Amino acid sequence: MKIATPDLVTNSYFPALAAEELGLYRAEGLDAHVELLPSLDAVNALRDGAVDFVAGGAHTTLLAFPGWKGAKLVVTLSQGTPWLLVLRADIPARRGDVAAVRGLRIGAAPGPDRAFLRLLHESGVDPVRDAVKIAPVPGGTDPGASFGVTAAEALERGAVDGFWANALGSETAVRRGVGKIIVDVRRGDGPPDAGRYTFAGLSTTEALIAREPERVAAAVRAIVRAQAALRRDPARATEVGRRRFPPASAEIIAFHDPAIGEQAVSVMNGFARSIGLLAAPVAYEDTVATRFRGLWRVTEP
């Protein structure tokens, strides 16, 4: 069983990786492996049957499954919009001041950049009028590295003035003394609902759910068990991180509730409509495989 993810070095999708490293897929009878694919490639591979699941931003499923036709979310990996705005430490910007990006070069990966553009729009910042240059981070040292960690390196080199990336990249920049967090939408910075534009989720196809529901259930149980085990013993996160993450990132993993809330789906689908990924409202039951919701509270290790 193949699970694609656009970022291996991130707290957002980490429970899918932890379930592999802690042997929990295997304990559920699955031979599962998490592999790195860019966001669009990942959902296209799911559509084409090349992978069985995608661990990524929930809204990105719509890139390959318009209107949620043919795919469903089965469990949350982490709650809330997983990206933060970090600017150079020497820029005189206050916490929550989105307008501080005017005239700056901001690194943002394809996919997450849509959430950043929506954040700017809702904050009254026009990238053209306000001369905000948004582009992928140039010159990463490792093509397989986390965008967040690469973004922190680019900030340190002066290649960008700031970035919109995951919490690991943000923490890396802060720890190195080269950046400061300006906007963390999950903690209430920025416009209302910005913290719920999307969330990290595990998606699969309706065809796999119909054909092999017990294998899908086993994957959900493994991830929920990983989250529960890591909450009880956070040191196990460091154990997994040291196997698969750069040393500076191994200590700073966070975990969240596996339940997929109806309000979270409503806001996420509204965000998808606002950026043109969804043409009309879609019901919760047409977005989420509700047959697995009873598994989201499994707590045994």
Side-chain angles (χ1 to χ4, degrees):
M1 175 174 285
K2 294 181 180 179
I3 303 171
T5 184
D7 199 343
L8 289 172
V9 188
T10 171
N11 58 328
S12 303
Y13 313 143
F14 184 74
L17 183 64
E20 178 182 354
E21 292 294 331
L22 297 176
L24 296 173
Y25 294 128
R26 189 165 56 251
E28 292 288 345
L30 298 177
D31 179 13
H33 176 65
V34 181
E35 59 184 51
L36 183 67
L37 283 176
S39 185
L40 181 57
D41 291 349
V43 292
N44 284 343
L46 181 65
R47 179 198 60 203
D48 298 339
V51 301
D52 302 287
F53 296 93
V54 169
H59 72 289
T60 64
T61 309
L62 290 163
L63 293 168
F65 297 90
W68 290 102
K69 302 296 185 184
K72 292 283 190 295
L73 297 166
V74 295
V75 68
T76 293
L77 300 171
S78 68
Q79 301 285 342
T81 306
W83 308 295
L84 297 83
L85 175 63
V86 172
L87 297 183
R88 282 196 337 262
D90 62 340
I91 292 175
R94 302 183 311 276
R95 183 69 178 251
D97 183 12
V98 179
V101 301
R102 290 186 171 116
L104 300 183
R105 299 162 296 168
I106 306 297
D113 62 350
R114 294 192 179 204
F116 183 56
L117 286 168
R118 187 64 188 171
L119 173 73
L120 295 184
H121 173 77
E122 292 186 348
S123 301
V125 177
D126 183 308
V128 176
R129 181 195 66 211
D130 296 315
V132 183
K133 181 176 175 55
I134 304 168
V137 168
T141 58
D142 179 357
S146 160
F147 179 86
V149 174
T150 301
E153 294 173 350
L155 187 65
E156 193 167 20
R157 295 195 313 270
V160 295
D161 300 308
F163 60 80
W164 171 256
N166 64 42
L168 284 174
S170 303
E171 183 69 12
T172 299
V174 170
R175 287 190 176 194
R176 292 182 181 181
V178 299
K180 58 184 177 182
I181 296 170
I182 302 301
V183 175
D184 183 346
V185 292
R186 291 174 300 181
R187 288 175 169 81
D189 299 337
D193 286 337
R196 296 184 294 174
Y197 284 157
T198 190
F199 55 90
L202 188 74
S203 60
T204 191
T205 61
E206 292 180 333
L208 184 63
I209 292 170
R211 188 173 68 249
E212 300 184 76
E214 195 41 51
R215 290 184 78 207
V216 178
V220 172
R221 286 195 298 268
I223 286 172
V224 175
R225 289 176 64 188
Q227 291 174 321
L230 292 162
R231 281 195 299 271
R232 281 193 299 272
D233 184 5
R236 300 191 79 182
T238 301
E239 171 193 339
V240 174
R242 283 177 175 155
R243 292 181 199 160
R244 298 289 289 267
F245 292 1
S249 303
E251 311 287 340
I252 47 179
I253 312 296
F255 306 95
H256 304 279
D257 190 331
I260 306 175
E262 294 194 28
Q263 182 64 16
V265 168
S266 176
V267 175
M268 181 267 295
N269 277 337
F271 163 68
R273 290 182 68 195
S274 75
I275 63 173
L277 278 182
L278 196 58
V282 177
Y284 178 82
E285 295 77 13
D286 294 325
T287 305
V288 177
T290 55
R291 66 189 294 171
F292 302 112
R293 68 193 310 173
L295 304 178
W296 297 337
R297 296 300 174 186
V298 175
T299 57
E300 68 269 18

